[in-house]
Amino acid sequence: MPYIRYRVRGSIDTDVLSASAAFDRIFQLENLEDLDLSGVASSDRRGSLAVSLAKDSLRVFKQTLRKLNLEGNFMGARGIMHITEEMDRECVLEEINLGRNCLCHVGCSPLSDAIKNQLFLKSIIIPSNNIGDRGASVLAAALIGMQSSILETFDASDNGIGERGSEALAGALHRFNSSLKKINLERNEIGSRGTMHLAGIINETSALQEMYLGSNNIGAVGAAALADALRNNTEIRMLHLSCNDIGDRGTTVLLNALHHHEKISELVLFQNNIGQDGAVAIASLLIANRSLSSMNIAANHRIGNSNGGMRLVHALEAMENRALTYFHVQARDVGGDFDVYNRIKRIIRRNRESKEAAMMHATHINLDTGAEQDIEQVEEYQDVGGSNDGEFPYHEMENVQSIDLNSSLRT
């Protein structure tokens, strides 16, 4: 029997009886693999119901449930304790999302005990839970003690984690150097010293492809630490460093390390106090690098129009990289010079149209030969917006089911 993906929409608060009927229907399913219960409890008053539903789901579908999304349900530390009682060694869970559940450092203890027993867990997603350094240290100990070493994604963004917590996490995540693909620690308090610890992961983790460190006040010193690591890591595809005040000096040393990086495709330097000297470094990167497809340097208002903006225009005109189809800069960044701004937009539009034409050509060839081109199909799906979570749709879309709690389920 094929596996089933199930999504519940709406809130328990809308109609408790309808919600009960909805979950009765879920528990009659077989082979449930992916259950999305995000936001079904829109207040603390209904958080206990969400806990009960999540715990029952883990118990009933223990042998099949691989992805569980419980984001935004006000469960709290006590709720997490009840849920994790069902996360024993028989559990086959591969991904759990506990974002925005008021976990705090207290809730990290029961979660950590459960994590240690998991044999299949690949993704731990716990953003916006205010766990702080204490919670991060507890989780780090759990990561070190995990029964498996196949973790691919770790997301603890927006959690008040500072230098001590980031040092503990960096030490723990090192053990997944052959599997870890994505780290998201945006909107924390890591600072430059914490970034130095995390740079070691970039340096030594061969599988790492995505690193998100925006809004961490890493400064030029932190940018320099990342630059040293990036010289040794050839797998990084996405690097997000927005709102970090790295300045011209940090921008220059960082981008120099990416000149001949063959896989970096997305770079975000939004709002980093970059001026004309930083713009020179950006222009140099645009000419030297051929893998970038997306770059965001918006909200760096010191770039200016003459020495900064025009250098960007000349670099974009001269570059051989036609893969760059997204380049975000604001008119204010180039001194309000709309001639410079519009020239940049025209160049990027040219690249985008060129890529679309190439894709259309490849599609026609595919239709003529009857061959299957999976890569083109995936890119076309993503270009038109994709699914709500930005992923390619499941291979058995007819088994994706959902219930909307905002509409009546009683007939």
Side-chain angles (χ1 to χ4, degrees):
M1 176 177 282
Y3 285 104
I4 296 173
R5 182 186 189 192
Y6 214 92
R7 173 174 291 170
V8 176
R9 303 177 187 276
S11 169
I12 293 173
D13 288 353
T14 55
D15 188 334
V16 176
L17 292 178
S18 293
S20 177
F23 287 106
D24 284 344
R25 190 182 306 177
I26 291 176
F27 294 138
Q28 293 173 8
L29 298 172
E30 294 183 22
N31 289 5
L32 182 65
E33 184 181 51
D34 183 344
L35 181 59
D36 186 347
L37 299 176
S38 57
V40 295
S42 61
S43 69
D44 293 317
R45 187 166 57 91
R46 296 298 180 194
S48 59
L49 279 177
V51 170
S52 177
L53 294 167
K55 185 174 182 178
D56 288 345
S57 299
L58 283 166
R59 176 178 52 80
V60 174
F61 304 110
K62 183 167 293 189
Q63 297 298 317
T64 63
L65 190 62
R66 299 186 183 278
K67 295 178 67 174
L68 179 60
N69 187 350
L70 300 172
E71 183 178 8
N73 279 308
F74 298 91
M75 294 180 176
R78 185 179 296 275
I80 298 300
M81 180 180 66
H82 290 303
I83 291 170
T84 53
E85 289 175 354
E86 296 295 337
M87 292 176 62
D88 54 28
R89 293 192 179 188
E90 296 181 6
C91 182
V92 297
L93 207 60
E94 295 180 3
E95 177 180 310
I96 186 163
N97 186 340
L98 294 171
R100 297 189 297 114
N101 267 295
C102 310
L103 200 63
C104 301
H105 71 273
V106 178
C108 288
S109 293
L111 177 60
S112 297
D113 292 339
I115 286 175
K116 292 177 183 178
N117 294 322
Q118 301 307 299
L119 299 176
F120 304 96
L121 195 60
K122 296 180 180 180
S123 296
I124 300 173
I125 305 171
I126 52 169
S128 306
N129 273 299
N130 193 30
I131 67 172
D133 284 343
R134 292 175 63 183
S137 298
V138 172
L139 286 176
L143 293 172
I144 293 173
M146 281 186 72
Q147 298 294 311
S148 67
S149 56
I150 58 174
L151 188 69
E152 296 180 355
T153 298
F154 184 77
D155 182 347
S157 55
D158 189 24
N159 265 301
I161 299 172
E163 179 187 336
R164 286 177 46 235
S166 58
E167 181 180 5
L169 288 173
L173 292 172
H174 270 297
R175 68 167 298 219
F176 306 102
N177 59 6
S178 62
S179 64
L180 193 61
K181 296 179 180 179
K182 177 181 177 180
I183 298 175
N184 187 350
L185 290 172
E186 288 191 325
R187 302 185 305 283
N188 280 298
E189 303 163 7
I190 292 171
S192 58
R193 293 180 65 86
T195 305
M196 292 179 188
H197 297 301
L198 294 170
I201 301 178
I202 297 178
N203 190 31
E204 299 176 15
T205 304
S206 58
L208 191 62
Q209 298 178 8
E210 302 177 35
M211 191 75 161
Y212 301 85
L213 293 176
S215 300
N216 269 296
N217 194 29
I218 72 172
V221 175
L226 294 176
D228 289 340
L230 287 167
R231 291 188 177 92
N232 296 320
N233 184 303
T234 59
E235 295 299 318
I236 287 285
R237 268 85 162 167
M238 299 181 184
L239 183 61
H240 286 221
L241 299 174
S242 59
C243 306
N244 270 306
D245 195 26
I246 66 175
D248 289 339
R249 187 162 61 92
T251 300
T252 301
V253 69
L254 177 70
L255 300 192
N256 285 345
L258 295 175
H259 271 212
H260 302 293
H261 203 291
E262 297 180 353
K263 294 186 178 179
I264 186 75
S265 62
E266 185 173 314
L267 180 61
V268 177
L269 298 176
F270 176 89
Q271 195 173 334
N272 264 295
N273 195 27
I274 300 173
Q276 293 182 359
D277 291 341
V280 172
I282 295 171
S284 179
L285 175 70
L286 291 173
I287 294 175
N289 185 278
R290 298 189 179 187
S291 62
L292 272 173
S293 61
S294 175
M295 190 170 187
N296 186 342
I297 61 167
N300 288 292
H301 304 321
R302 296 195 305 110
I303 290 176
N305 60 344
S306 55
N307 292 332
M310 284 307 300
R311 282 185 179 271
L312 295 178
V313 170
H314 294 153
L316 288 166
E317 290 175 341
M319 70 179 186
E320 298 180 12
N321 176 24
R322 294 299 178 92
L324 187 68
T325 54
Y326 180 86
F327 188 82
H328 189 195
V329 64
Q330 298 171 345
R332 185 179 173 187
D333 298 328
V334 292
D337 190 327
F338 279 90
D339 177 58
V340 171
Y341 176 69
N342 287 325
R343 287 174 70 177
I344 291 174
K345 287 181 62 177
R346 284 195 296 269
I347 295 168
I348 299 304
R349 187 183 303 116
R350 175 203 66 188
N351 288 357
R352 190 177 298 119
E353 291 172 351
S354 176
K355 178 184 178 182
E356 291 172 352
M359 289 177 60
M360 288 294 294
H361 180 67
T363 302
H364 287 311
I365 293 176
N366 179 34
L367 292 174
D368 291 340
T369 61
E372 293 185 3
Q373 296 285 340
D374 290 340
I375 294 177
E376 278 77 6
Q377 292 173 8
V378 171
E379 288 185 346
E380 183 176 0
Y381 178 83
Q382 292 174 340
D383 282 346
V384 298
S387 62
N388 289 336
D389 53 12
E391 298 176 352
F392 193 67
Y394 274 41
H395 60 280
E396 301 203 39
M397 286 298 290
E398 66 272 13
N399 294 313
V400 178
Q401 304 179 31
S402 66
I403 280 180
D404 190 343
L405 299 181
N406 292 319
S407 61
S408 176
L409 296 172
R410 290 169 291 180
T411 57

